[in-house]
Amino acid sequence: CTCKSWSDLIGSSSFVSTQLHRNVTKHAHVYLLCLHHPHFERQNDNDDPYVVEELQWSLFSNETFEQFSELSHPLGSTDHYGIYGSSNGLVCISDEILNFDSPIHIWNPSVRKFRTPPMGTNNLKFAYVALQFGFHPGVNDYKAVRMIRTNKDTFAVEVYSLRTDSWKMIETIPPWLKCHWQHHTGTFFNGVAYHIIEKGPIFSIMSFDSSSEEFQEFIAPDAICNSLGLCMDVYKEHICLLFRYYGCEDECMQKYDLWVLREKRWKQLCPFVYPWNRCRAMGINIDNELLLQQKDY
């Protein structure tokens, strides 16, 4: 009787929501998910095109950066795979190079369970595919957003709902996306997929709400003129842009300029200044600290 009552309790949606809210507010059970070389050293000649690099996904401590656990593919595959978002312990994985028929798995490594969504309805071949995943608090559902674009400027968007286990094709595409543009990095925050896109000399942020199915465009600050050194993440509950292009007043220091999107307008904040060379931004962690990767040649 006790086991049954406890099972009913911890399996209820209210208990799950309360536990997730507690972990998020207390920043409990937070890990970094990183791709790395075994033993953290390159084992082969990177200039040899016939040698396949060995790479491994692992969880690392958010504070000490010590390795916590290796992650093997839930189906036992030894092929490289990509991670396209994580939220509340769920991880979205698929092929390292995405195609229209790439299988998608939504995986909980802690309990070693996963779900494989059905194939999407779009079968555009020879296309660029972008995939993002996350939680939408407004509808209490996990969403995957797949965007497909061909070299003929054909653009399609599909949204997967974990709750209904089904895909939905988005019929209405705004006119400003029906042109030639180049896609860069993206992120998923509060149910909205954000992408950096480049149209000629202009950089902008495309957003798509996976619930309301609304597209928006935000022109990037004029200072952003290059995709190199450009990174998008979340800073203090706002979408932000990090850009390393302009030198620091102190020649011994490096810097990342920082803008946040507030009320549909960009506001520049104080830059992140640091003393190390050969660093690139990995993103911003849950404590609003800049994470840097330092390359040791």
Side-chain angles (χ1 to χ4, degrees):
C1 293
T2 302
C3 287
K4 185 178 185 305
S5 64
W6 285 5
S7 177
D8 292 341
L9 172 64
I10 65 175
S12 65
S13 59
S14 60
F15 182 90
V16 172
S17 297
T18 302
Q19 178 73 356
L20 287 177
H21 178 73
R22 175 182 175 275
N23 287 339
V24 168
T25 54
K26 291 189 175 184
H27 295 182
H29 310 296
V30 176
Y31 296 95
L32 298 174
L33 191 55
C34 300
L35 185 66
H36 62 91
H37 296 281
H39 310 297
F40 309 100
E41 292 183 1
R42 188 187 299 276
Q43 302 296 316
N44 58 275
D45 182 2
N46 195 42
D47 295 328
D48 189 340
Y50 299 101
V51 175
V52 178
E53 285 188 294
E54 287 190 46
L55 296 171
Q56 169 70 51
W57 284 102
S58 293
L59 294 175
F60 294 82
S61 166
N62 187 48
E63 297 177 353
T64 66
F65 305 122
E66 293 180 356
Q67 188 177 11
F68 174 76
S69 174
E70 293 185 358
L71 295 182
S72 300
H73 195 287
L75 293 176
S77 172
T78 57
D79 294 336
H80 290 176
Y81 63 93
I83 292 181
Y84 297 93
S86 63
S87 183
N88 299 334
L90 296 184
V91 180
C92 179
I93 67 173
S94 189
D95 293 342
E96 186 178 31
I97 300 176
L98 291 171
N99 205 339
F100 74 95
D101 58 353
S102 294
I104 299 171
H105 307 291
I106 298 175
W107 175 33
N108 187 331
S110 297
V111 297
R112 300 176 183 175
K113 292 182 179 181
F114 67 93
R115 175 183 292 183
T116 302
M119 294 299 295
T121 57
N122 203 307
N123 59 355
L124 291 174
K125 295 183 179 180
F126 311 110
Y128 173 84
V129 180
L131 176 64
Q132 291 174 292
F133 170 81
F135 181 67
H136 198 310
V139 295
N140 194 31
D141 192 11
Y142 294 87
K143 302 276 191 175
V145 177
R146 193 170 72 150
M147 298 184 179
I148 303 175
R149 183 172 60 86
T150 70
N151 55 8
K152 296 182 180 180
D153 297 335
T154 302
F155 183 64
V157 179
E158 294 178 300
V159 179
Y160 171 76
S161 165
L162 184 65
R163 185 167 55 195
T164 63
D165 192 28
S166 62
W167 290 92
K168 181 180 180 181
M169 176 69 74
I170 305 304
E171 303 292 343
T172 304
I173 303 297
W176 51 268
L177 281 174
K178 296 179 180 179
C179 63
H180 181 73
W181 48 271
Q182 186 176 358
H183 170 269
H184 296 290
T185 184
T187 192
F188 195 96
F189 177 60
N190 279 347
V192 180
Y194 294 89
H195 289 268
I196 298 174
I197 62 175
E198 182 180 357
K199 294 188 287 186
I202 298 175
F203 286 85
S204 63
I205 308 303
M206 170 186 66
S207 73
F208 171 74
D209 191 310
S210 59
S211 176
S212 67
E213 302 174 7
E214 178 185 4
F215 290 89
Q216 292 190 74
E217 183 180 24
F218 307 98
I219 304 298
D222 293 338
I224 294 177
C225 57
N226 197 311
S227 62
L228 297 176
L230 180 60
C231 175
M232 178 166 55
D233 213 311
V234 178
Y235 180 74
K236 295 184 178 180
E237 300 296 307
H238 293 280
I239 288 294
C240 74
L241 292 174
L242 293 161
F243 188 50
R244 187 189 64 181
Y245 185 78
Y246 302 102
C248 191
E249 293 179 0
D250 186 340
E251 294 182 357
C252 298
M253 307 294 282
Q254 305 290 326
K255 73 167 182 175
Y256 267 96
D257 290 309
L258 172 66
W259 292 266
V260 296
L261 187 61
R262 292 178 178 169
E263 298 178 351
K264 300 184 179 182
R265 299 184 64 179
W266 294 106
K267 178 178 177 59
Q268 187 169 14
L269 304 183
C270 292
F272 287 102
V273 179
Y274 54 94
W276 307 289
N277 289 320
R278 297 196 184 104
C279 284
R280 71 173 184 88
M282 297 175 65
I284 294 176
N285 68 8
I286 198 168
D287 296 313
N288 298 305
E289 298 168 328
L290 180 66
L291 290 175
L292 294 170
Q293 177 194 46
Q294 186 170 22
K295 287 186 174 292
D296 182 358
Y297 294 95

